[in-house]
Amino acid sequence: MQVLYIHPDNPQPRLIEQAADLLRKDLLIIYPTDTSYAFGCRLGAKDALEKLKQIRELDDKHQFTLLCRDLSEIANYASVDNVQFKQLKAHTPAPITFILNATKDVPKKLAHAKKKTIGIRVPSNPIAQALLEAMDEPILTSSLILPNRDDIIDDPFEIEELLGNQIDGLINAGVKTTKLTTIVDMTSSQPEVIRQGAANVDSLVL
């Protein structure tokens, strides 16, 4: 496993490029977001996705999320009308995952098997944004929640100790304040909060 020590506020371009290179090789990494550390891999990276599912013990009903640098990429992966787009624009970037109806461009393995939905998130974290910029495409992302543990691990050295032999790369940006994203279902006319996390979305669901 490759460990990259990247500055949380001023990411070094050379190291971001190394991390992006791991993703381009269809490998599985752990990187920081604006809420906590998370798993990340390239869209369509079969081996990395299988590895992620095994580590987290996920089944086919799991709702995956795409990390996008801004809303310009959303139309490729999710169907949004004008009202939804305005709502999304007013609430991004933020620690919010929006559940939207997936387009046909989303690989079947990523869209929710029954609902045909996909999670979309636009982060404000400098490392996550730099990584998305380098990739020039969304990253498949998943919370760093491990089976049989209630907590999310916020210490990169503990992550390295626990998962060092199961992942391919780790961006160490120091200990992070651990929060969960707020999840909002936007698939019906009235947005619904599925999980209240770091972001307050009262203005969205009232």
Side-chain angles (χ1 to χ4, degrees):
M1 179 193 62
Q2 189 172 352
V3 181
L4 301 166
Y5 294 90
I6 298 184
H7 194 282
D9 303 316
N10 300 295
Q12 305 92 318
R14 181 180 57 83
L15 297 180
I16 288 292
E17 188 53 36
Q18 285 180 32
D21 208 39
L22 292 173
L23 290 172
R24 290 187 199 109
K25 289 174 181 167
D26 291 352
L27 299 174
L28 180 64
I29 70 166
I30 289 176
Y31 70 103
T33 70
D34 34 4
T35 46
S36 58
Y37 281 94
F39 293 99
C41 66
R42 201 173 68 82
L43 271 178
K46 286 183 186 172
D47 290 349
L49 183 59
E50 282 310 310
K51 206 182 274 192
L52 167 55
K53 283 176 156 181
Q54 282 176 359
I55 294 171
R56 284 204 57 193
E57 295 180 8
L58 301 174
D59 60 22
D60 292 335
K61 296 187 188 77
H62 183 72
Q63 178 72 73
F64 283 105
T65 297
L66 299 182
L67 202 73
C68 301
R69 70 188 132 169
D70 56 39
L71 294 183
S72 65
E73 296 177 319
I74 281 186
N76 295 326
Y77 305 99
S79 306
V80 290
D81 59 27
N82 289 339
V83 173
Q84 287 173 316
F85 189 82
K86 282 177 183 167
Q87 290 171 323
L88 291 170
K89 198 166 184 182
H91 290 83
T92 54
I96 306 171
T97 298
F98 297 98
I99 307 299
L100 298 161
N101 290 311
T103 63
K104 290 185 173 67
D105 288 343
V106 174
K108 283 192 172 67
K109 284 188 175 177
L110 302 186
H112 190 286
K114 286 185 178 167
K115 300 178 191 164
K116 302 289 187 289
T117 54
I118 189 76
I120 298 281
R121 183 175 164 200
V122 180
S124 58
N125 178 277
I127 292 175
Q129 275 289 351
L131 207 49
L132 288 164
E133 195 69 37
M135 290 297 291
D136 198 27
E137 64 181 52
I139 296 169
L140 174 70
T141 191
S142 181
S143 304
L144 209 172
I145 300 171
L146 298 180
N148 309 318
R149 279 188 72 141
D150 298 328
D151 60 327
I152 297 182
I153 311 161
D154 58 3
D155 184 337
F157 294 102
E158 189 182 356
I159 294 169
E160 188 178 343
E161 197 176 302
L162 282 171
L163 297 169
N165 60 350
Q166 293 174 274
I167 58 172
D168 304 297
L170 167 65
I171 293 178
N172 184 327
V175 175
K176 285 197 65 64
T177 306
T178 309
K179 292 172 282 194
L180 287 167
T181 53
T182 298
I183 300 176
V184 181
D185 189 332
M186 303 277 285
T187 57
S188 59
S189 55
Q190 178 60 38
E192 182 190 352
V193 177
I194 304 295
R195 179 177 76 195
Q196 181 59 58
N200 185 321
V201 287
D202 287 353
S203 59
L204 186 62
V205 295
L206 288 177

